[in-house]
Amino acid sequence: ALVLDRSGSMGGSKWPQARTAALQALDRLTAHDRVALVVFDDQIDTLLPLAPVTVLTRLQAHQALAATAPRGNTDLAGGWLTGCGLIGQGDSPTRLRRCFLLTDGEANVGITDPAELSQHASALRQLGVITSTFGVGDDYHEALLGLLADAGGGAFHDIAQAASIPAVIGRELGDALAVVCADTQVRLSW
């Protein structure tokens, strides 16, 4: 799931950076992958429900994001949990479920307490939904985004500079797509 903050604080260069990162992530996926696209401010909109990655899906994502602009307050929890919910309803327990949250982390509507958000990330991780966070701009809420990624089992990335976006997305998707065996357990008995 690609979850993008489109709140008013994402104005200026932040929104184009987040949009570019999301589209570059989408472009790296194959027909074997599925994607969901969610944007949020104080309202949550699912631009793409969970669907296989096709030429049409890519086109719909490009068009939907091009027609979206920053506005309103920031219901980070609502947007992020919506994206996680879309991928958490998967048809196969062996399929990887990754949520990429692209935001400046300035939550001011809904659940805003970092400890409570961390608890949700931990619970989602137990259900097999991994959250990675991407701090957009120079003034993102580093503590909150780091806490979410840590509790969610993912990574925290800084995409303050547009030039760093391809490398960051490449690393994160490369790690996710290189997984050979998910949720492996080893049991030893003596």
Side-chain angles (χ1 to χ4, degrees), residues 159-175:
I159 55 172
Q161 303 299 320
S164 68
I165 292 172
V168 169
I169 292 296
R171 267 194 321 270
E172 183 66 17
L173 276 176
D175 290 347

Side-chain angles (χ1 to χ4, degrees), residues 6 9 20 45-46 53 64 67 70 76 78 81 89 91 98 111 114 118 125 129 135 148-149 153 166 171-172 188 190:
R6 61 140 181 233
S9 65
T20 298
D45 291 318
T46 300
V53 176
L76 184 144
L81 292 172
Q89 302 171 5
D91 54 351
R98 302 292 298 254
I111 302 169
S118 175
R125 181 180 184 182
V129 177
L148 275 176
R171 267 194 321 270
E172 183 66 17
L188 301 174
W190 300 98

Side-chain angles (χ1 to χ4, degrees), residues 116-175:
E116 187 175 352
L117 289 166
S118 175
Q119 289 173 340
H120 285 291
S122 181
L124 285 163
R125 181 180 184 182
Q126 294 300 314
L127 296 171
V129 177
I130 305 299
T131 298
S132 290
T133 58
F134 298 79
V136 182
D138 293 324
D139 58 346
Y140 57 82
H141 193 314
E142 185 173 347
L144 172 62
L145 298 181
L147 190 64
L148 275 176
D150 186 46
F156 165 57
H157 302 279
D158 174 359
I159 55 172
Q161 303 299 320
S164 68
I165 292 172
V168 169
I169 292 296
R171 267 194 321 270
E172 183 66 17
L173 276 176
D175 290 347

